[in-house]
């Protein structure tokens, strides 16, 4: 089927307002009489709260209210709930610690909220916070992932001995051990996937209000899934009917997984608004974000690959310790366990087993961050393949090629969680290597050596699930509504926070119904106007949204045929629809869809079932999840005297199914790669042994900048999936999924003359320099 708009690089319609400063973010919506909230946080990694005296703070100028965990309104609230359940080591349900809005009795990480001050201005709230007298008893803390379960580590919760929250197994352990015993080669690599934080351009912000007449709360907040947050607030926290909680997500300055969940501060704005009778605004400062945002990644793993003498993969084993923090975030247990299927990669590996042990620590909870387990899985398989090639004498490209799944094997059951629907993995790799000019790499390496530099090239084949979980995606809501003037409003249960949904869904609806882009208005983000939505995460929006839109569009077309038949005084079976026009087949009698919509509000005929209007709403899910895939090739140059690593080229060949808007997909790939490279080269959340955050500002937490990157070379290989009407696969996380492994493989290749086989992330200049020095000394 040909399309007028789908497949075209149309500019984002929302950019016009955003670049002119006309975006409406949460803080922009605060009325003049809004109070300001300041949250008092624990300065200790672990401590008992012996007493809190707020008497002096309550007397401070401008102060309206001071809350602690003991206040009746706070004590009566429910707790933030984990949405994913796992099993403790003994097979019982994992212990879920009480994740309260304000901590009582103990604080378990630096930044744990213990009191809240509501005042006329932020300065007044801050001053009053300093007047709160808190008596602490400091306790030992543990923050390091690999030692959290040690016998002598301080325990956070007695209900979880040795800090072990859960143990999760996937795959056949016995089959893997048997295959490993028969393998000619067994190659292992042990490594961390370090802790990072999302650092969204717009820090977390919330505006709470309360209507005493309706007894209803309204939360304005930058969120990726306002409906899920409404559900948590209503069911888990306030324990009231959902129709008494309205959540509005306006423009959002970056989400990346951080903005999927309810946070204590959001609840505090609502409680304060109810008690004081005025709206309450809370806006995190950047330093506060480093302390209080959910963090991400933070795993320590050992991956072992078994191969036969010819390099055929026989078995893969992965053992991971995952740091989940002091409490469990709503999706904290999802990240280390639900995307393990990516460990299979794009390869035929008969036997795979993974075991994940989740541990508590005196750190903020971890939660999804762009990729949410997918980059970690790709990193595991692609790093161990590179190491196997080095240790066993195989060419890294040919070793991959030997084990790739071929198109004629699709659909392919990996026997480890996922069944891939489609893909041409070898084509991706060949195209990426051609764009990378692999044949000329040896000469480029020689030229770098003449200048005293080290040059390396790395490859990573990536695959991920999108619109999961497998096999069936979660449903999504979409409504197409024509008003009596013929105008079209599309209401989506997804949310846009930078992806360009407004133009993307306008392109889709315009093509489905033969409209112009300007005819379509797209809205989202208000739970009062859109009663159901799953949200935007996991590269799911276009897959699930277009599926629901296709169903609604088809139903509107069928209704339109009946209206047109009455208008023409013809039989509905003789009406055809094409390019926005209803016509009597074989004639030139036709009427546009917007005119049919106008007629629908006045036309009376028994064939129309006694109903008026021209609208349709669908809540549906596609047939199954999809599996975007691709190949990343990165080339780096390293100065051995300083350890500085510079990216020379970065190539991505992606199969994201049908590309609805190539410009937007390319932008998503660019952004994802940058975030992956940021983790490999710069970003690192670090704590000392007492639980104090060492990287709590941009002076310590380094971020990637434009100057760190070459021009990206991107190519799309469109292999349409049969799992949804448009054949789309999802693109939002593709860049991050492949970047971690590709860049690390390139760095290790550059350092290979020193006999270096691995370097931990982040590969900062200091770490690279020390690794070279240590390798030189060892030799």
């Amino acid at each position: 089927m040909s399309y007028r708009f789908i497949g075209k690089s149309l500019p984002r319609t929302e950019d016009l307002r955003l670049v002119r400063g006309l975006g409406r973010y949460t803080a922009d919506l605060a009325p003049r009489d809004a109070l300001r909230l300041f949250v008092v946080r624990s300065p200790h990694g672990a401590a008992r709260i012996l007493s809190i005296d707020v008497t002096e703070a309550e007397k401070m100028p401008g102060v309206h209210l001071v809350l602690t965990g003991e206040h009746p309104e706070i004590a009566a609230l429910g707790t933030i709930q984990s949405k994913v359940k796992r099993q403790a080591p003994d097979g019982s349900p994992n212990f879920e610690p009480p994740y309260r809005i304000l901590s009582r009795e103990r604080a378990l990480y630096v930044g744990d909220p213990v009191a809240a001050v509501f005042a006329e201005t932020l300065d007044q709230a801050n001053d009053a916070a300093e007047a709160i007298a808190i008596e602490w008893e400091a306790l030992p803390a543990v923050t390091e992932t690999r030692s959290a379960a040690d016998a002598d580590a301080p325990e956070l919760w007695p209900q979880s001995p040795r800090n072990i929250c859960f143990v999760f197994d996937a795959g056949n352990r016995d089959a893997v051990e048997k295959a490993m015993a028969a393998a000619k080669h067994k190659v292992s690599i042990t490594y961390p996937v370090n802790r990072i934080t999302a650092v969204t351009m717009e820090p977390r912000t919330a505006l709470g209000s309360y209507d005493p007449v309706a007894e209803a709360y309204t939360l304005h907040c930058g969120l990726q899934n306002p409906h899920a947050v409404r559900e948590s607030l209503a069911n888990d926290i306030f324990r009231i009917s959902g129709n008494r909680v309205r959540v509005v997500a306006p423009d959002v300055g970056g989400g990346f997984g951080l903005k999927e969940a309810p946070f204590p501060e959001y609840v505090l704005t609502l409680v304060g608004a109810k008690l004081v009778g005025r709206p309450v605004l809370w806006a995190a400062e950047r330093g506060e974000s480093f302390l209080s945002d959910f963090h991400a990644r933070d795993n320590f793993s050992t991956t072992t690959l078994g191969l036969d003498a010819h390099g055929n993969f026989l078995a893969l084993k992965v053992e991971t310790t995952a740091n989940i923090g002091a409490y469990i975030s709503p999706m904290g247990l999802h990240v280390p366990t639900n995307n393990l299927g990516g460990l299979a990669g794009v390869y035929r590996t008969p036997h795979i087993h993974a075991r994940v042990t989740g541990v508590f620590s005196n750190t903020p909870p971890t939660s999804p961050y762009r990729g949410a387990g997918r980059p970690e899985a790709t990193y595991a398989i692609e790093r161990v393949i590179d190491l196997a090639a080095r240790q066993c004498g195989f060419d890294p490209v040919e070793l991959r090629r030997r084990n790739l799944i071929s198109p004629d094997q699709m659909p392919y059951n990996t026997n480890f969680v996922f069944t891939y629907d489609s893909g041409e993995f070898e084509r991706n790799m060949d195209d990426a290597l051609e764009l990378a000019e692999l044949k000329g790499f040896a000469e480029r390496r020689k030229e770098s050596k003449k200048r005293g530099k080290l040059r390396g090239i790395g490859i990573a084949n990536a695959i991920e699930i999108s619109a999961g979980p497998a096999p069936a995606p979660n449903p999504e809501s979409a409504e197409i509504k024509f008003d009596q003037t013929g105008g079209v409003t599309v209401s989506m249960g997804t949310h846009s926070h930078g992806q360009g949904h407004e133009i993307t869904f306008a392109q889709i609806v315009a093509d489905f119904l033969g409209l112009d882009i300007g005819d379509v208005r797209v809205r989202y983000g208000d739970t009062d106007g859109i009663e159901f939505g799953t949200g935007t995460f996991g590269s799911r929006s276009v897959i699930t949204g277009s599926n629901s839109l296709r169903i609604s569009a088809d139903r509107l077309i069928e209704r339109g045929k009946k209206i047109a038949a009455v208008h023409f005084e013809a039989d509905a079976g003789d009406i055809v629809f094409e390019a926005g026009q209803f016509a009597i087949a074989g004639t030139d009698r036709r009427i546009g869809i917007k005119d049919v919509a106008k007629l629908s509000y006045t036309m009376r005929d028994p064939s129309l079932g006694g109903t008026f209007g021209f609208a349709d709403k669908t809540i549906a899910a596609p047939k199954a999840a999809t599996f975007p895939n691709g190949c990343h090739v990165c080339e780096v140059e390293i100065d051995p005297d300083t350890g500085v690593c510079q990216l020379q080229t970065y190539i991505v060949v992606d199969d994201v199914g049908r590309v609805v808007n190539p410009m937007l997909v390319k932008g998503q790939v660019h952004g994802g790669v940058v975030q992956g490279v940021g983790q490999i080269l710069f970003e690192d959340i670090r704590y000392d042994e007492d639980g104090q955050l060492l990287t709590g500002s941009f002076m310590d937490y380094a971020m990637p900048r434009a100057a760190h990157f070459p021009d990206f070379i991107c190519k799309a290989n469109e292999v349409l999936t049969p799992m949804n009407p448009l054949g789309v696969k999802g693109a939002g996380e593709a860049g991050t999924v492949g970047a971690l492994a590709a860049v690390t493989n390139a760095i290790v290749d550059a350092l290979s003359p020193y006999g270096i086989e691995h370097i931990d992330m982040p590969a900062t200049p200091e770490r690279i320099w020390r690794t070279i020095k240590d390798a030189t000394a060892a030799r």
Side-chain angles (χ1 to χ4, degrees), residues 202-232:
E202 177 201 23
R204 288 190 299 114
T205 305
L207 174 64
S209 59
Y210 182 77
D211 182 346
V213 176
E215 297 182 331
Y217 298 93
T218 298
L219 175 69
H220 287 81
C221 187
L223 296 167
Q224 300 172 225
N225 51 351
H227 294 84
V229 172
R230 176 188 62 178
E231 182 180 358
S232 295

Side-chain angles (χ1 to χ4, degrees), residues 85 282 357 408 464 533 560 582 598 634 638 644:
K85 312 300 181 184
W282 174 77
T357 302
D408 59 11
E464 56 167 322
F582 293 93
K598 295 175 186 178
C634 176
I638 295 173
V644 171

